[in-house]
Amino acid sequence: MSETRRRMGVIGLGMASAPHAQSLIDLAGRVEVAGCFSPSADRRAAFAARHGLPVVDRLEALLEDPALSAILLLTPPDTHAELVARCAAAGKHVLLEKPLDATPEGARAVVSAMEAAGLTLGVVLQHRFRASVERLAGLMRDGALGRPLTAAVSVRWWRDAAYYAQPGRGEKARDGGGVLLTQAIHTLDAFVSLLGLPDEVAGFAATSLLRGPDTGMDTEDVVAAALRYGNGMLATVNATTAAYPGYPERIEIAGTGGSALLAGDRLEVQLVGGERIVEGQDGATLGGGADPMAFSHQHHRAVLSDFLDALDHGRRPRVDGREALKVHRLIEALLQAADSGRTVAVGEPA
């Protein structure tokens, strides 16, 4: 089946829009941008001046365009359930910036709305498209590491006071969560794609002394947790945005056949038989420091390209709503465990 040049709209022109805008420009042969909307006139003007893409001053101009088949939705998490429902009612496919929504109930509603309408939902969890993650996934499918025995996720990033000074940033009402749902979700999603969901979790979460009541922040910025899998594998999660100046996120897996380390976009594998594999970049923070946008847009472009391929060929995107619900369920369980002080069963998302 040949590729189709699709007419798309963009809703939400905040900080996260920059890599998406560049991806749309790169894929102009496949995408016609009908218009980009923000309720802020200043934000629309700044976006148009920076990227040269058309803007519209009414959301309805996109939803009511019969030639427009898909929406790229980049608004804050607390708006997702409502806006996805409106897109579904208008018959538009949606590529949604993570997370699915600010609440677990909203996340499930997003997926249900698109499924009920028979429309395609893609989710921007771009770490799965890193070459290092794809190579490790292939090695694990081939059994190169043998049976996984233990694993660890470490996201030790830094976000400064200016970052949290933005209205609603780090607040449950808008973002739905802290370091787990806003920052570590990407690394946790890659981890779940490699090893699946655990059976149960236990752990702790807190707001550090850096971000007390005066900041308005009411979500976690430090997390330490343990995961147990049905096959006996144990894993840990350590996540924070209080680790100055920010370090490459890491996934470590040790198995009966060898070990693997993902640090940023760099993969190191040492197999028991002696073979050593080293690929990727040198472990740059890729957005883990004070500038959260300090990364290439190539993986966002890969997500968009996959979404367009899914529409062209009638298949699911690599990260659709059901896939995204898995990492949401893990995060939900981790926070439940921290709140209750008890071990929490994970289970598959409903």
Side-chain angles (χ1 to χ4, degrees):
M1 186 179 296
S2 62
E3 293 178 351
T4 301
R5 189 167 190 259
R6 293 190 174 270
R7 187 169 168 86
M8 291 186 67
V10 180
I11 301 175
L13 305 180
M15 178 177 64
S17 65
H20 293 288
Q22 189 57 56
S23 299
L24 289 166
I25 292 167
D26 287 355
L27 295 173
R30 302 189 64 187
V31 179
E32 175 193 358
V33 179
C36 305
F37 172 76
S38 167
S40 166
D42 290 343
R43 187 165 284 183
R44 292 195 301 269
F47 180 87
R50 178 177 181 183
H51 300 292
L53 294 172
V55 296
V56 296
D57 60 6
R58 294 175 57 252
L59 177 63
E60 291 76 14
L62 301 177
L63 297 182
E64 295 173 2
D65 182 348
L68 188 150
S69 62
I71 294 289
L72 178 56
L73 185 55
L74 311 176
T75 56
D78 64 329
T79 67
H80 287 182
E82 177 188 355
L83 288 174
V84 167
R86 292 185 67 180
C87 291
K92 311 303 183 187
H93 305 291
V94 175
L95 179 57
L96 177 66
E97 179 60 72
K98 64 78 186 169
L100 286 166
D101 188 71
T103 69
E105 298 78 16
R108 291 188 282 270
V110 162
V111 176
S112 296
M114 294 297 288
E115 289 181 344
L119 295 164
T120 297
L121 173 65
V123 185
V124 182
L125 288 165
Q126 70 271 11
H127 281 26
R128 293 201 196 192
F129 292 80
R130 289 181 172 181
S132 55
V133 175
E134 291 176 329
R135 179 65 193 280
L136 180 54
L139 289 170
M140 296 190 67
R141 283 194 301 271
D142 294 341
L145 295 184
R147 177 181 173 180
L149 302 172
T150 182
V153 177
S154 177
V155 181
R156 301 191 63 77
W157 283 5
W158 169 250
R159 291 292 185 263
D160 61 14
Y163 175 86
Y164 286 111
Q166 296 298 313
R169 187 71 55 75
E171 295 180 18
K172 194 169 296 184
R174 191 197 77 159
D175 287 347
V179 63
L180 292 178
L181 194 64
T182 305
Q183 286 89 21
I185 186 172
H186 289 293
T187 308
L188 290 171
D189 176 69
F191 178 79
V192 169
S193 76
L194 293 167
L195 290 167
L197 286 171
D199 281 19
E200 57 183 1
V201 301
F204 301 94
T207 307
S208 73
L209 296 177
L210 285 177
R211 292 139 193 167
D214 293 342
T215 67
M217 182 173 174
D218 59 357
T219 59
E220 82 291 346
D221 67 345
V222 287
V223 174
L227 288 61
R228 187 182 69 81
Y229 285 74
N231 62 4
M233 189 185 80
L234 300 179
T236 61
V237 171
N238 184 295
T240 186
T241 55
Y244 179 83
Y247 300 91
E249 64 275 13
R250 295 164 67 97
I251 295 176
E252 301 173 66
I253 303 171
T256 56
S259 296
L261 165 64
L262 278 167
D265 202 20
R266 180 179 173 85
L267 172 65
E268 298 181 29
V269 177
Q270 181 65 62
L271 301 180
V272 171
E275 181 182 1
R276 186 168 184 260
I277 300 167
V278 179
E279 293 186 3
Q281 300 179 24
D282 61 1
T285 55
L286 300 174
D291 181 1
M293 304 309 293
F295 54 82
S296 164
H297 71 283
Q298 64 175 316
H299 302 116
H300 286 75
R301 184 178 60 222
V303 172
L304 176 58
S305 182
D306 174 71
F307 179 70
L308 295 170
D309 289 344
L311 296 181
D312 285 347
H313 301 293
R315 64 165 174 81
R316 296 166 55 184
R318 282 176 54 183
V319 188
D320 65 359
R322 288 288 161 185
E323 276 297 299
L325 278 176
K326 294 177 182 178
V327 70
H328 274 261
R329 177 55 196 144
L330 175 59
I331 291 170
E332 181 184 10
L334 288 171
L335 293 175
Q336 287 174 343
D339 287 344
S340 67
R342 300 177 180 178
T343 299
V344 171
V346 179
E348 291 293 327

